[in-house]
Amino acid sequence: VCISAFSFLRFGLFLIVSMSSAELILSLNDIGAIKFGDFTLKSGVQSPVYFDFRDVSCFPKLLRSVSEALWKAGQDAAVRVDSVCGVPYTALPFATVICDHHNIPMVIRRKEAKSYGTAKMIEGDRVLTAGSRCLIIEDVVTSGSSVLDTVKVLKEAAEGVLVEDAVVLLDRQQGGRQRLLKEGVRMHSVFTVQEVLSVLQDSSRISDTEVEAVKKFVKDNQF
């Protein structure tokens, strides 16, 4: 992608490259974060596509662009934010960059409590006051279970905190959005799996056969 296609925003000492969704998808594909083949998901189901955004943090400019795209998705949806919590572990760098750039308190959810010290599940819970709004940041949503687990832990850590919105990089379109909404959480995504397929197909990066295989998988594996 030509650098002239980028728009630049300054936050403190950081230069953020603001990319379109299509530019982000192509950049993520360039670093191998979007893979096609035969993969076993956390659920045990075999999938023809796999999204692995862990290595985004190895590319600082892309990390900042992804984080800003997540922030923009929330702002476009008029989400109100008093604090931010990234779902461990892949979304933690995204949440960190967002909080740093926009001067927002960040809370950290542990996957398990330590057996020593304070044994907290949430670090930074002092900012989770009654009536305050904590925004969840996630990389990929399939069923929505990881987001719901985070909502539960946040509410157990702070009575009265409002956790009503989650911003995600990718919606796999397998029912997670609807499931979250039933639990009172609105999901806002930077892009969907359909948009990923369209961009990569239009750029001749994947075959028609791969596109159809993913579409069939998504249709046949709804939560």
Side-chain angles (χ1 to χ4, degrees):
V1 179
C2 177
I3 195 70
S4 63
F6 296 157
S7 60
F8 295 96
L9 301 173
R10 278 196 179 277
F11 291 92
L13 298 176
F14 293 98
L15 182 66
I16 293 183
V17 181
S18 181
M19 300 183 187
S20 68
S21 292
E23 289 167 335
L24 271 181
I25 290 167
L26 293 175
S27 294
L28 291 166
N29 184 239
D30 286 340
I31 68 168
I34 303 172
K35 309 175 190 293
F36 295 86
D38 188 18
F39 305 93
T40 302
L41 301 181
K42 181 180 179 180
S43 62
V45 175
Q46 296 299 117
S47 170
V49 64
Y50 185 63
F51 301 94
D52 184 359
F53 299 128
R54 294 177 184 86
D55 281 353
V56 171
S57 59
C58 298
F59 302 87
K61 289 182 180 178
L62 182 57
L63 172 60
R64 294 194 289 268
S65 295
V66 167
S67 301
E68 187 60 21
L70 286 161
W71 174 256
K72 185 177 183 301
Q75 292 302 288
D76 288 348
V79 170
R80 294 168 58 190
V81 186
D82 296 305
S83 61
V84 168
C85 181
V87 176
Y89 291 104
T90 306
L92 290 179
F94 306 151
T96 302
V97 173
I98 288 170
C99 290
D100 181 48
H101 290 168
H102 298 281
N103 196 32
I104 299 170
M106 175 179 168
V107 298
I108 300 174
R109 177 205 156 191
R110 294 184 180 276
K111 278 202 170 182
E112 60 281 320
K114 289 186 176 182
S115 59
Y116 56 89
T118 61
K120 287 182 177 181
M121 285 295 292
I122 295 290
E123 302 293 347
D125 57 334
R126 69 180 65 191
V127 303
L128 300 177
T129 56
S132 69
R133 297 176 182 274
C134 185
L135 172 66
I136 291 179
I137 301 294
E138 175 66 301
D139 62 329
V140 180
V141 162
T142 304
S143 68
S145 59
S146 293
V147 171
L148 290 176
D149 287 345
T150 301
V151 172
K152 181 175 183 290
V153 173
L154 286 166
K155 289 185 174 182
E156 288 176 348
E159 184 178 354
V161 67
L162 303 176
V163 191
E164 301 174 336
D165 292 277
V167 178
V168 308
L169 183 57
L170 173 75
D171 176 6
R172 284 189 64 121
Q173 296 180 290
Q174 290 178 242
R177 182 185 297 271
Q178 293 82 358
R179 186 180 176 204
L180 288 173
L181 191 58
K182 287 181 180 178
E183 297 297 327
V185 179
R186 296 177 291 267
M187 190 183 91
H188 319 282
S189 62
V190 175
F191 44 75
T192 65
V193 70
Q194 179 59 58
E195 289 168 334
V196 169
L197 295 176
S198 296
V199 169
L200 296 182
Q201 186 176 34
D202 289 346
S203 302
S204 300
R205 298 201 181 192
I206 55 174
S207 67
D208 293 346
T209 300
E210 288 172 315
V211 171
E212 291 308 314
V214 175
K215 286 182 176 180
K216 184 177 187 304
F217 173 81
V218 170
K219 180 180 179 181
D220 294 345
N221 292 271
Q222 292 290 313
F223 288 90

